[in-house]
């Protein structure tokens, strides 16, 4: 059978002593935290910008509705990071799209320039070849005409001399 003793044993006493000392240290830690919190609040209330805000209609409304003021404060504090991240993302996206657009335009201009540089020598070669062909055809045709139809070239020379004589 088990018996319950009314006097605590030594292990239990040490545990009770340590729990009371930890609770007293927790109380002093809480008191220090409370003191620093009230000092911070007092400094916050003494700030001229806060006094100026409290003198406005919005400040007076928030002073008379502390639950709403706490809600606005928490919303503002908690939404600052996501809004900041979104704005950073938007700014980086705009910068990257502008830089990407510039790089894309440079790439297109580079491809267009290379295409132009490849086409221009081809066009020049084509022009030279067509010019050579037309000159060969002209020289060949004029030689053939002068060889087989010499009276056409002499008649033109006679007509030219006659026209020169008449004009002078």
């Amino acid at each position: 059978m088990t018996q319950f003793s009314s006097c605590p044993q030594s292990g239990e006493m040490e545990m009770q002593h340590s729990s009371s000392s930890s609770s007293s240290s927790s109380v002093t830690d809480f008191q220090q935290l409370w003191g620093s919190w009230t000092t911070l609040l007092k400094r916050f209330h003494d700030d001229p910008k806060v006094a100026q805000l409290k003198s406005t209609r919005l400040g007076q409304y928030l002073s008379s509705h502390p639950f709403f003021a706490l809600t606005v404060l928490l919303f503002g504090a908690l939404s600052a990071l996501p809004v900041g991240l979104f704005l950073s993302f938007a700014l980086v996206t705009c910068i990257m799209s502008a830089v990407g657009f510039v790089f894309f335009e440079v790439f297109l201009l580079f491809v267009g320039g290379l295409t132009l540089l490849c086409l221009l020598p081809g066009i020049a070669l084509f022009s030279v070849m067509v010019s050579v062909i037309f000159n060969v055809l002209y020289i060949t045709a004029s030689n053939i005409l002068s060889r087989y139809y010499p009276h056409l070239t002499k008649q033109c020379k006679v007509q030219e001399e006659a026209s020169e004589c008449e004009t002078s």
Side-chain angles (χ1 to χ4, degrees):
M1 296 220 148
T2 24
Q3 295 181 0
F4 295 106
S5 64
S6 61
C7 58
Q9 298 196 4
S10 65
E12 292 176 0
M13 286 180 117
E14 289 175 4
M15 197 164 71
Q16 285 178 353
H17 185 287
S18 65
S19 67
S20 66
S21 67
S22 67
S23 67
S24 66
S25 68
S26 297
V27 168
T28 57
D29 288 343
F30 181 73
Q31 287 173 347
Q32 288 176 352
L33 184 64
W34 184 260
S36 64
W37 176 253
T38 55
T39 305
L40 181 67
L41 281 178
K42 186 175 182 182
R43 188 179 315 148
F44 183 70
H45 280 285
D46 292 341
D47 190 6
K49 291 182 181 179
V50 173
Q52 183 182 6
L53 178 67
K54 287 177 79 175
S55 66
T56 63
R57 291 184 65 167
L58 179 65
Q60 290 172 356
Y61 180 79
L62 290 176
S63 293
S64 63
H65 296 85
F67 180 76
F68 184 66
L70 181 63
T71 304
V72 169
L73 177 70
L74 284 176
F75 178 76
L78 294 176
S79 66
L81 181 66
V83 169
L85 287 175
F86 174 76
L87 291 176
S88 300
F89 172 74
L91 181 67
V92 167
T93 303
C94 288
I95 290 171
M96 291 303 292
S97 66
V99 169
F101 180 73
V102 167
F103 282 137
F104 185 68
E105 286 294 319
V106 167
F107 173 74
L108 287 179
L109 287 173
F110 179 72
V111 169
L114 282 179
T115 305
L116 183 65
L117 287 177
C118 291
L119 285 175
L120 287 179
I123 291 171
L125 182 64
F126 178 77
S127 299
V128 167
M129 294 302 290
V130 167
S131 178
V132 165
I133 290 170
F134 278 127
N135 282 331
V136 166
L137 287 175
Y138 175 73
I139 292 171
T140 305
S142 60
N143 283 338
I144 288 174
L145 286 176
S146 67
R147 187 176 301 248
Y148 291 112
Y149 301 104
H151 65 283
L152 291 176
T153 56
K154 287 181 185 176
Q155 187 180 13
C156 290
K157 287 183 183 178
V158 171
Q159 284 178 356
E160 285 177 8
E161 288 175 3
S163 67
E164 283 179 16
C165 292
E166 290 175 8
T167 57
S168 39

